C-alpha cells in the first residue's frame, strides 16, 4: 500500500456510504442514528486483530474492491480462466456453476421461492432482507438489533454497524415448526459497498427451523473484507439449527460474528464448514444458555496454502442444567495455521460442558494450536476437554494401498473419513460438493 490513509479519510468515506444506504433503503431516522453513533465509536474503538492492522483496515475501507476482477459478469465465459477451471474440476453442471459464480440467472427459482415464503408467512414464518424488515417491522427489529453486540467493542463491529447492508431477518411464530431447511445466500451486487450482511433470527416459544447460510463456493467475491453479523434469539423450547458453509477465495479476509441467547429448554446447534477460509478467518462466537438450554458448536476446518484461521467459541451456562459442546475437526495442509479456542463457563448448578479438538497435519510446515478453557463458578458442574493432533499413520496408508488404492485416493479416503462424523446433518446436495472440494484440496487441485 503506497498511500497512507487516516481515520478522517475513512470517516468521510463511511459517512458517504451511510447516506447512500439511507437513500437506497429508505431507512428510518432511528437506524441512521445507530449508524452514525457507530461511526463515532469507530473513530476510537480498539482493533485487536492479529492480521489486519489499522492501516490495512483503512485501505480496505477506501478501496474495498479487488483489482483485476472483471467488472461485469454476465456469463461463465466472463469468469477468469482459473476460476472457470476450478468449477470444471468440481464436476458440477453448468446451471449450478452459474449459481455458484454469483450470476443472477435463476429467476424462475427465485419466483417459486418467493411464492413459497408467502404461503408460509400465513403460518407465521417471516423471511425478509434485513433492510426491508427495518421498514416493515421496525418495533421488532429495534428490540433486537445489536442487542448482543456493542458497536464500540472493536473497530470491526463499529464498521459493520455503520455500513451493514444485506442479510436476512428470520422470524418464527410460536409453535411453528418448519420441516425442511431454509437456504439463504448472500449475493451483494453493489460493488461500492462493504460486504457486511446483518442476520437476525428470532425463534418464538416451541418453534423449530434449520437455516443454511452461505454457499460452498462463492467464486467471485469482489471485496477484501467480509464482515457478517448474526444475532439469534431463541425463546423457551425453541430449536434452531444453523449451518454455515464457507469457501471464500484466497484473497478475502473473513470476520464472521455470531452470538445467540438460548432460552429455557431451547437448543441452538451451529455447524460451520470452512473449506476455504480466505486469506484469514477469525471468529469468536458467543452463546448464553438459560435453564436446561443446550448449545452445540461444530467446526470443520480445511487449512490450505498460507491461510490463517483462528476460531473460538465462548459459552456461558447461566441457567441450571444448561449444557454446551464445542467440537472441531481440522485438516491442515501446506503452510497454513489453524488455531482453535474454546471457553465454557459454568455459572449455574448441574451444568455440563465439553470441548474437543482433533486435527490432521498434512504437512511439516502446517501449524496447529488449541486452547481449551474451562471455568466453573459452582461445585457441581461437569466440564471436560480433549484434544488430539497427529498425522496420517503409515499403516493406514499401507493397508488401503494394499487394497489397490493409489496413495492420493487412500489419503482422500482417510481425510473424508476423519471429517465425515461432523457432516451427518448436512443436506445431501451440499455433501456432494463438499466431498469434491475436500478431494481436490488433498490432491493439490484447488
Amino acid at each position: 500500500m503506497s498511500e497512507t490513509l487516516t481515520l478522517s479519510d475513512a470517516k468521510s468515506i463511511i459517512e458517504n456510504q451511510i447516506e447512500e444506504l439511507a437513500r437506497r433503503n429508505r431507512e428510518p431516522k432511528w437506524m441512521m442514528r445507530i449508524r452514525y453513533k457507530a461511526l463515532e465509536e469507530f473513530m476510537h474503538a480498539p482493533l485487536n486483530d492479529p492480521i489486519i492492522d489499522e492501516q490495512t483496515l483503512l485501505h480496505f475501507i477506501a478501496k474495498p474492491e479487488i483489482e483485476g476482477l472483471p467488472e461485469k459478469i454476465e456469463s461463465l465465459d466472463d469468469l477468469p480462466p482459473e476460476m472457470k477451471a476450478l468449477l470444471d474440476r468440481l464436476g458440477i453442471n453448468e446451471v449450478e456453476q452459474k449459481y455458484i459464480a454469483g450470476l443472477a440467472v435463476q429467476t424462475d427459482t427465485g419466483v417459486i421461492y418467493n411464492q413459497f415464503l408467502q404461503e408460509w408467512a400465513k403460518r407465521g414464518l417471516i423471511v425478509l432482507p434485513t433492510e426491508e424488515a427495518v421498514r416493515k417491522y421496525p418495533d421488532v427489529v429495534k428490540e433486537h438489533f445489536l442487542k448482543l453486540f456493542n458497536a464500540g467493542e472493536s473497530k470491526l463491529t463499529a464498521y459493520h454497524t455503520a455500513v451493514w447492508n444485506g442479510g436476512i431477518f428470520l422470524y418464527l411464530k410460536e409453535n411453528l415448526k418448519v420441516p425442511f431447511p431454509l437456504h439463504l445466500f448472500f449475493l451483494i451486487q453493489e460493488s461500492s459497498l462493504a460486504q457486511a450482511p446483518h442476520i437476525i433470527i428470532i425463534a418464538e416459544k416451541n418453534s423449530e427451523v434449520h437455516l443454511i447460510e452461505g454457499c460452498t463456493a462463492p467464486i467471485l467475491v469482489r471485496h477484501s473484507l467480509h464482515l457478517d453479523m448474526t444475532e439469534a434469539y431463541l425463546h423457551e423450547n425453541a430449536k434452531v439449527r444453523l449451518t454455515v458453509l464457507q469457501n471464500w477465495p484466497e484473497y478475502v479476509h473473513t470476520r464472521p460474528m455470531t452470538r445467540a441467547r438460548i432460552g429455557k429448554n431451547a437448543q441452538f446447534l451451529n455447524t460451520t464448514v470452512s473449506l476455504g477460509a480466505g486469506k484469514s478467518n477469525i471468529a469468536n462466537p458467543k452463546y448464553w444458555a438459560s435453564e436446561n438450554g443446550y448449545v452445540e458448536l461444530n467446526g470443520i476446518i480445511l487449512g490450505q496454502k498460507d491461510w490463517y484461521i483462528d476460531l473460538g467459541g465462548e459459552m456461558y451456562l447461566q441457567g441450571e442444567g444448561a449444557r454446551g459442546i464445542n467440537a472441531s475437526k481440522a485438516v491442515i495442509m501446506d503452510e497454513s495455521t489453524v488455531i482453535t479456542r474454546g471457553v465454557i463457563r459454568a455459572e449455574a448448578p448441574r451444568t455440563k460442558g465439553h470441548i474437543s479438538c482433533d486435527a490432521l497435519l498434512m504437512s511439516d510446515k502446517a501449524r496447529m494450536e488449541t486452547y481449551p478453557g474451562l471455568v466453573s463458578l459452582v461445585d457441581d458442574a461437569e466440564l471436560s476437554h480433549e484434544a488430539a493432533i497427529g498425522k496420517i499413520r503409515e499403516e493406514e496408508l499401507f493397508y488401503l494401498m494394499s487394497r489397490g488404492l493409489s496413495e492420493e485416493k487412500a489419503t482422500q479416503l482417510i481425510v473424508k473419513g476423519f471429517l465425515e462424523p461432523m457432516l451427518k446433518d448436512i443436506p445431501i446436495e451440499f455433501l456432494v460438493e463438499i466431498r469434491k472440494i475436500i478431494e481436490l484440496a488433498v490432491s493439490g487441485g484447488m
Side-chain angles (χ1 to χ4, degrees), residues 100-257:
I100 289 172
L103 299 171
V105 297
Q106 297 192 18
T107 305
D108 292 341
T109 302
V111 170
I112 292 170
Y113 195 58
N114 287 335
Q115 292 173 344
F116 157 82
L117 289 179
Q118 288 171 10
E119 287 299 314
W120 274 84
K122 299 173 185 176
R123 307 186 197 184
L125 171 67
I126 300 172
V127 182
L128 288 174
T130 307
E131 55 266 35
E132 189 175 337
V134 168
R135 298 192 302 271
K136 287 190 173 181
Y137 303 99
D139 292 340
V140 179
V141 175
K142 213 186 286 190
E143 183 182 349
H144 296 87
F145 189 90
L146 216 71
K147 292 301 186 287
L148 298 182
F149 290 86
N150 173 9
E153 63 189 71
S154 78
K155 271 189 165 46
L156 295 181
T157 52
Y159 180 46
H160 169 96
T161 306
V163 302
W164 74 267
N165 56 99
I168 292 293
F169 174 83
L170 172 65
Y171 177 86
L172 287 152
K173 180 183 176 182
E174 184 174 332
N175 297 320
L176 179 67
K177 291 178 171 57
V178 182
F180 37 76
L182 293 176
H183 297 206
L184 306 176
F185 302 95
F186 307 110
L187 300 175
I188 297 176
Q189 305 297 334
E190 294 79 10
S191 60
S192 63
L193 297 174
Q195 193 163 28
H198 196 97
I199 301 102
I200 298 176
I201 302 169
I202 304 169
E204 296 288 4
K205 186 177 179 181
N206 298 319
S207 61
E208 187 173 325
V209 70
H210 181 185
L211 188 65
I212 298 176
E213 174 194 324
C215 184
T216 49
I219 294 296
L220 202 59
V221 176
R222 303 183 65 84
H223 298 79
S224 304
L225 181 63
H226 181 88
L227 286 174
D228 64 277
M229 184 180 286
T230 299
E231 302 183 80
Y233 302 86
L234 283 65
H235 295 271
E236 185 175 349
N237 288 315
K239 182 178 180 180
V240 173
R241 183 183 297 276
L242 175 62
T243 303
V244 181
L245 307 172
Q246 299 178 337
N247 190 25
W248 299 105
E250 60 186 72
Y251 49 78
V252 177
H253 297 272
T254 62
R255 298 295 182 270
M257 296 173 274

Side-chain angles (χ1 to χ4, degrees), residues 42-141:
F42 173 84
M43 299 301 289
H44 54 77
L47 178 62
N48 302 317
D49 194 289
I51 302 297
I52 301 175
D53 59 22
E54 185 173 290
Q55 192 57 216
T56 303
L57 175 60
L58 297 181
H59 184 79
F60 288 161
I61 292 171
K63 298 180 179 179
E65 290 190 286
I66 303 295
E67 295 180 2
L69 291 180
E71 290 187 8
K72 197 169 186 181
I73 301 292
E74 295 182 339
S75 74
L76 290 172
D77 293 333
D78 296 330
L79 289 174
E82 66 276 10
M83 294 181 180
K84 184 66 171 69
L86 174 58
L87 288 174
D88 290 337
R89 287 199 300 274
L90 284 172
I92 56 181
N93 62 47
E94 184 177 339
V95 172
E96 190 179 355
Q97 286 191 23
K98 290 178 180 179
Y99 181 63
I100 289 172
L103 299 171
V105 297
Q106 297 192 18
T107 305
D108 292 341
T109 302
V111 170
I112 292 170
Y113 195 58
N114 287 335
Q115 292 173 344
F116 157 82
L117 289 179
Q118 288 171 10
E119 287 299 314
W120 274 84
K122 299 173 185 176
R123 307 186 197 184
L125 171 67
I126 300 172
V127 182
L128 288 174
T130 307
E131 55 266 35
E132 189 175 337
V134 168
R135 298 192 302 271
K136 287 190 173 181
Y137 303 99
D139 292 340
V140 179
V141 175

Side-chain angles (χ1 to χ4, degrees), residues 336-367:
S336 59
T337 296
V338 173
I339 302 170
T340 59
R341 309 173 192 271
V343 176
I344 299 181
R345 186 180 175 93
E347 301 178 357
R350 298 192 306 105
T351 45
K352 296 180 180 180
H354 181 70
I355 298 172
S356 70
C357 169
D358 295 320
L360 269 181
L361 293 174
M362 307 288 288
S363 162
D364 291 336
K365 295 183 179 180
R367 190 171 123 229

